[in-house]
Amino acid sequence: MTHEEPALDPRPVHTLLKDLAKRGMRVHSLLVHRHGRTVLDLWQWPHEPDLKHKIHSATKSFTSAAVGFAEAEGLLSLDDPVVGFFRGRLPADPSANLDRMRVRDLLTMCTGHARGLSGATTRLRRTGWVGEFLEEPVVELPGRNFTYSSTTSHVLSAIVQEVSGRAVDEYLRPRLFDPLGITDYTWERDPEGVSSGGNGLSLRPRDLLKFGVLHLQDGVWEGDRILPSGWVQKASALHVRRAISGEWNGKELVPPAPDVVTEEGYGYQFWTTADGIYNASGIFGQECMVFPRHGGVVVVLGAMGDGTYHDLPGMLRSAFRSAFDPSPDQSDVDAAEQKSEMDAVTEWVRRAQEPEAVSAAAQRTGFSAAYDFEPNDQGLVSLAVSVTGAAVRLTVEDELGSHSLEHGVGSWRRQDTGVSGWRLHHSYQDPVAAVLAAAEWESADVLKLTWHYLESPFIDRLRLVFDDAGVTVEHATNVNSGPAALPPARGLLRA
């Protein structure tokens, strides 16, 4: 950033960071691109910039790009009937409204469904997810009303796979990921091998920024056209003028009341506004926001709970409209004030990158025991605990098998685990997940364990209460689409 041509005013950024912290909206990464370069690259411990991060529903915008490629290659038309891609899988008597549904209705979330379907329930299905979409009644004429649904996006992924012969992650590799230098990513698939179109993509924060910059540059990267000509304009256009995701009731997304006010509309799997700002958006605070008129892109990855993450897009738009284009009274400040505000942002970065402190006090050493559990809501089958002065080893047997985790006492230990977490993780269950684990003694009979999931929003906290007969395990997390804590599970000391 130069004094002659500042890339952004740091004061709105500092105010944004303070507001996020005040509301408990945890920021893992904040990246800002302007004037052809990255002007801010902030990250919070332990989410180092070379780690991938789940982007949840921001995945939808990548699925949109796949549809754009398929259209440009003549594999499909946006006016193709959806049912034409799934002959042999349709209901016995398809409704007239289902027959009328077109690919563009999927892109704009105007399918005619009365409710939205979420990955939180879809991921629990043991059969292909397209079936859930085809089974859902189409109660209105498609193309008219907006109903946000992750399963709608998944059907787009299935269509691209049907016409291309490749899952979307493979289809996009030579067309999008390789040209942008995106090599470290994973994309979940459904039981039929279809890339999860509405969520499930994990990639590095800087690679998500590349995706936003590509759109800012009208699909051109380092002088080469990557996205089909005209696709960015179509994808970011305001196709739906009033779009709200609705309220999650644990089973479905219920559309909002007609009088709810919003500045957000919808394009082709992007949220849009009347002044041209558009964003890929995911639950718990994942945003890739493009400011075409200001030549900027903002990426946030984080861990924000229900009641806060819905506010993040509006907070970003407000902060960076001001940061990118200060009003006359804002821009008439001296260099000393600018430097003071930037120093405050730098101090935020320094504090954010400090590891979370954990107590090293050893209340109990040389202790080991094993416990067996009756069926419980945590899915625990057995638990073995081994304690030395510097470490706690936990061996968990659950519905997914046996898993060992090492916890430092007063320190953090990194490892991979497949321990069951889907109940508290928006139904996500990674076969292997990277975690940092630490243990603290609350008292001689109470052990607290913390698991930072390094590539997702989740921080799990367990509390083990020991007595002569057994152990009671309490398990909670920081953010979830459902309950953030599970009922305690009681284990009895193994004879």
Side-chain angles (χ1 to χ4, degrees):
M1 183 168 60
T2 64
H3 177 63
E4 292 78 11
E5 190 182 6
L8 79 167
D9 182 345
R11 293 172 300 163
V13 179
H14 186 208
T15 298
L16 171 69
L17 292 172
K18 290 189 292 185
D19 289 345
L20 292 170
K22 183 178 180 180
R23 297 187 61 186
M25 300 168 73
R26 185 180 177 91
V27 175
H28 293 171
S29 297
L30 169 60
L31 299 94
V32 181
H33 169 99
R34 198 168 190 221
H35 297 333
R37 62 193 179 94
T38 302
V39 296
L40 275 182
D41 187 350
L42 317 182
W43 59 273
Q44 183 170 29
W45 178 91
H47 302 277
E48 298 176 357
D50 286 334
L51 291 169
K52 298 189 297 293
H53 198 286
K54 285 189 187 299
I55 64 170
H56 298 288
S57 285
T59 302
K60 293 176 171 66
S61 303
F62 286 80
T63 302
S64 172
V67 175
F69 283 115
E71 182 198 32
E73 293 168 10
L75 300 177
L76 59 78
S77 164
L78 302 191
D79 290 319
D80 284 341
V82 172
V83 295
F85 300 100
F86 303 109
R87 298 298 181 188
R89 300 189 58 179
L90 300 176
D93 186 20
S95 69
N97 284 339
L98 179 59
D99 282 337
R100 293 188 181 102
M101 193 186 300
R102 301 294 186 260
V103 171
R104 68 174 67 253
D105 299 325
L106 303 176
L107 286 166
T108 59
M109 299 280 189
C110 294
T111 58
H113 290 132
R115 62 172 188 159
L117 302 173
S118 167
T121 53
T122 300
R123 276 188 292 276
L124 302 181
R125 286 175 63 100
R126 295 293 177 260
T127 57
W129 303 343
V130 170
E132 183 179 30
F133 180 90
L134 297 175
E135 295 160 8
E136 184 68 17
V138 185
V139 299
E140 297 178 343
L141 189 68
R144 292 185 174 178
N145 296 317
F146 179 85
T147 302
Y148 185 78
S149 175
S150 287
T151 308
T152 297
S153 306
H154 187 70
V155 173
L156 288 169
S157 176
I159 288 173
V160 172
Q161 182 164 333
E162 178 69 22
V163 299
S164 71
R166 292 186 175 185
V168 161
D169 59 326
E170 295 176 356
Y171 180 71
L172 285 179
R173 184 179 297 122
R175 294 165 174 81
L176 179 69
F177 293 130
D178 287 349
L180 268 58
I182 300 174
T183 58
D184 188 13
Y185 64 93
T186 57
W187 199 326
E188 296 176 349
R189 296 187 182 185
D190 78 357
E192 294 178 337
V194 178
S195 298
S196 179
N199 37 57
L201 176 60
S202 296
L203 73 174
R204 298 183 305 172
R206 291 169 186 170
D207 290 335
L208 182 57
L209 182 67
K210 290 178 183 179
F211 182 71
V213 173
L214 176 68
H215 283 75
L216 176 69
Q217 297 172 170
D218 192 31
V220 174
W221 186 260
E222 296 181 347
D224 295 327
R225 172 153 295 285
I226 305 301
L227 294 174
S229 178
W231 180 255
V232 170
Q233 291 89 338
K234 289 195 287 188
S236 62
L238 195 61
H239 295 284
V240 179
R241 292 201 167 271
R242 177 183 177 274
I244 304 174
S245 61
E247 294 297 325
W248 176 248
N249 65 7
K251 295 182 179 180
E252 60 195 11
L253 285 162
V254 181
D259 59 349
V260 175
V261 177
T262 180
E263 71 167 320
E264 290 184 316
Y266 207 69
Y268 288 168
Q269 305 288 290
F270 282 96
W271 298 91
T272 64
T273 64
D275 63 349
I277 299 170
Y278 60 99
N279 55 299
S281 182
I283 195 171
F284 309 131
Q286 328 308 318
E287 298 291 336
C288 178
M289 186 170 287
V290 182
F291 293 76
R293 297 180 185 176
H294 301 90
V297 179
V298 176
V299 163
V300 171
L301 298 172
M304 305 173 190
D306 194 24
T308 61
Y309 69 82
H310 285 298
D311 297 336
L312 180 63
M315 295 170 74
L316 294 178
R317 286 190 291 265
S318 177
F320 285 96
R321 280 172 180 144
S322 297
F324 289 151
D325 188 16
S327 62
D329 62 315
Q330 288 176 314
S331 57
D332 188 21
V333 298
D334 59 28
E337 184 175 345
Q338 289 275 358
K339 183 178 184 303
S340 175
E341 288 294 319
M342 185 53 73
D343 287 346
V345 173
T346 301
E347 175 62 16
W348 181 93
V349 175
R350 186 194 66 77
R351 292 196 308 268
Q353 295 176 3
E354 292 179 351
E356 179 183 326
V358 287
S359 172
Q363 298 282 347
R364 224 167 154 175
T365 60
F367 165 69
S368 62
Y371 306 90
D372 295 313
F373 293 75
E374 294 295 325
N376 58 83
D377 292 324
Q378 295 186 31
L380 286 173
V381 176
S382 69
L383 193 70
V385 184
S386 177
V387 182
T388 65
V392 172
R393 172 182 281 270
L394 195 71
T395 302
V396 179
E397 183 184 358
D398 58 29
E399 62 216 328
L400 300 178
S402 181
H403 322 273
S404 292
L405 295 98
E406 292 280 348
H407 305 72
V409 177
S411 64
W412 295 94
R413 300 201 178 183
R414 179 172 174 168
Q415 63 228 273
D416 294 334
T417 183
V419 69
S420 178
W422 61 269
R423 294 170 177 82
L424 293 175
H425 293 179
H426 193 49
S427 299
Y428 282 101
Q429 180 61 54
D430 296 315
V432 177
V435 299
L436 280 185
E440 295 181 276
W441 287 99
E442 183 178 310
S443 69
D445 297 322
V446 179
L447 180 63
K448 297 190 298 182
L449 307 177
T450 301
W451 301 340
H452 277 277
Y453 283 79
L454 297 177
E455 297 185 343
S456 72
F458 308 113
I459 305 171
D460 283 19
R461 302 189 188 277
L462 288 78
R463 190 169 179 267
L464 279 59
V465 182
F466 301 98
D467 56 50
D468 292 340
V471 64
T472 299
V473 179
E474 302 167 4
H475 192 168
T477 195
N478 57 330
V479 295
N480 192 22
S481 55
L486 297 172
R490 177 67 177 169
L492 297 180
L493 187 64
R494 187 178 298 164

